[in-house]
Amino acid sequence: MQESEPRGTAVGVSFVMPVLNESAYLQHAVESVLAQDLDVPAELVLALGPSTDGTTELARALADGDDRIRLVDNPAAHIPVGLNAAIRASRYPTIIRVDAHSELSPGYAARALRTLERTGAANVGGVMHAEGRTPFQKAVARLYNSPVGLGGGAYHGGARESEAESAYLGVMRRDVLDEVGLFDETIRRGEDWELNLRIRQAGHLVWFDPDLSVTYWPRESWLRLARQFRATGAWRGELVRRFGRRNGLRFFAPPALVLIVAVAIVVGVLQLTGVLAGVSSLIAAAIYLPLVAYALLVLAVALAPGGGGIRQRLWTLLVLPTMHLSWGLGFLAGVLRGARDTVDASRLGTRNTPLP
């Protein structure tokens, strides 16, 4: 790997990207970074995990072809560890986080730098705009972009520029990162939310700018999506254990759904076996009506205008409850016993379909 060089340059931008099993997406992500039109020096630091799909070889080839690309090792494969390794190896005072499953829109970096200067913020983020290729991935992307799917965070479609709780990816001042201590390497998911909490607690501003847009490509299969959401939910549960009500109320909706489903199943079984044969209609309504309402919501989302073709709409019927229930199950496990060593298994040992 390339050696780190001493910092001290007064101006410039360091893009940092953790990479693991992203052979189908890496080149497009890198190209979107290198195409950014900037008036200051820039570099891209890739933190390479132990990929099994040719990603490392592709990264080395890209680095050989452009001296702006630098490589560091991330043998642990964890995102915050890779981010910190890339940040420590970086040379410039502005850090722009990039995801290998994403592509920056033209002008993203220049706009973010202007917003940092104009607002005095320590971290600036924009909109995560999900896109898909297959009917399944398009269904997932549509739900990512909908408040119904991921709970209405500003970066999933907010239209008003404002102070924010967190920032998607993030364009950050390096001196503030040094002040608060970089990413917490004990947090495998939700590390950005926790970092932004410390930034705000230190008296700095986190800012949302809807004119900043990043294209995100969701997972390509149902199993990978379920694994991703279970891991994300588990780490949110861990964050609730650590930080309590600093977590927004929206994070508690999926686990509430899981508990309602569990109660309904238990009551249904007891009714069928005659144990609760005399349960009142009022109690039954209180148990089952929320599930009926949720089923109608899922159906309405699948049939709504803009839902795509029939295959995409059918996938929506499965994907929406998968996202909510997987996340909710993970959350409850994380709250009850902690996330422990939970990892996003959807990133391990994958083979992806190349982007066109």
Side-chain angles (χ1 to χ4, degrees):
M1 298 297 170
Q2 299 175 12
E3 296 295 327
S4 171
E5 297 183 17
R7 290 187 294 118
T9 306
V11 296
V13 172
S14 294
F15 297 87
V16 296
M17 182 192 301
V19 179
L20 177 67
N21 288 322
E22 297 289 4
S23 60
Y25 294 89
L26 180 61
Q27 183 162 348
H28 288 264
V30 167
E31 288 172 352
S32 78
V33 170
L34 300 181
Q36 296 294 307
D37 186 11
L38 291 166
D39 296 328
V40 296
E43 65 179 351
L44 169 60
V45 186
L46 302 179
L48 301 181
S51 295
T52 58
D53 68 345
T55 293
T56 299
E57 292 75 14
L58 174 59
R60 288 172 176 158
L62 293 170
D64 288 341
D66 195 309
D67 59 11
R68 292 173 292 176
I69 302 175
R70 304 170 59 230
L71 309 177
V72 296
D73 280 318
N74 176 22
H78 301 313
I79 290 174
V81 175
L83 286 169
N84 285 348
I87 291 169
R88 292 187 182 106
S90 66
R91 294 175 286 192
Y92 299 122
T94 302
I95 303 295
I96 299 182
R97 177 178 173 178
V98 190
D99 190 281
H101 251 252
S102 66
E103 296 173 28
L104 304 183
S105 60
Y108 175 90
R111 165 84 189 190
L113 293 178
R114 291 194 297 270
T115 302
L116 273 179
E117 181 66 24
R118 173 172 54 84
T119 62
N123 190 9
V124 169
V127 174
M128 181 184 77
H129 182 74
E131 294 281 357
R133 305 189 310 276
T134 65
F136 172 82
Q137 200 177 40
K138 288 178 180 179
V140 177
R142 179 167 170 261
L143 296 172
Y144 263 79
N145 297 331
S146 165
V148 176
L150 291 182
Y155 61 83
H156 291 300
R160 185 175 64 86
E161 188 174 11
S162 65
E163 184 175 351
E165 175 187 22
S166 188
Y168 176 59
L169 298 182
V171 180
M172 299 165 276
R173 298 184 188 273
R174 173 62 188 266
D175 58 345
V176 174
L177 292 180
D178 289 337
E179 175 190 341
V180 302
L182 303 186
F183 289 92
D184 185 336
E185 295 183 3
T186 70
I187 298 175
R188 308 288 167 76
R189 306 285 293 180
E191 73 287 338
D192 49 351
W193 179 90
E194 190 276 337
L195 173 65
N196 283 292
L197 174 63
R198 281 186 281 126
I199 289 174
R200 292 186 288 110
Q201 288 176 332
H204 300 290
L205 183 67
V206 177
W207 196 257
F208 170 70
D209 183 350
D211 289 332
L212 297 174
S213 179
V214 178
T215 297
Y216 174 79
W217 298 93
R219 299 296 188 263
E220 306 91 340
S221 73
W222 178 82
L223 182 59
R224 294 186 67 201
L225 182 75
R227 287 173 172 173
Q228 178 192 19
F229 271 74
R230 188 191 68 82
T232 303
W235 280 102
R236 179 54 60 179
E238 175 69 30
L239 291 175
V240 167
R241 286 170 65 95
R242 297 191 191 190
F243 303 106
R245 276 290 298 116
R246 293 188 183 96
N247 295 265
L249 283 174
R250 70 180 185 275
F251 296 124
F252 295 84
L257 174 65
V258 171
L259 293 176
I260 292 171
V261 170
V263 170
I265 291 174
V266 171
V267 170
V269 170
L270 294 178
Q271 285 181 310
L272 289 173
T273 56
V275 176
L276 291 180
V279 66
S280 71
S281 58
L282 184 60
I283 295 176
I287 294 171
Y288 297 125
L289 280 181
L291 291 184
V292 172
Y294 180 76
L296 291 175
L297 173 65
V298 173
L299 183 61
V301 172
L303 297 178
I310 184 63
R311 290 179 62 196
Q312 182 179 330
R313 292 178 186 274
L314 290 174
W315 272 121
T316 298
L317 292 173
L318 178 61
V319 165
L320 185 54
T322 294
M323 292 166 63
H324 291 161
L325 294 174
S326 296
W327 200 99
L329 285 168
F331 178 95
L332 291 172
V335 167
L336 293 174
R337 63 179 182 84
R340 300 182 182 179
D341 294 325
T342 300
V343 298
D344 179 4
S346 71
R347 302 172 63 239
L348 304 178
T350 59
R351 293 187 178 276
N352 300 319
T353 304
L355 286 169

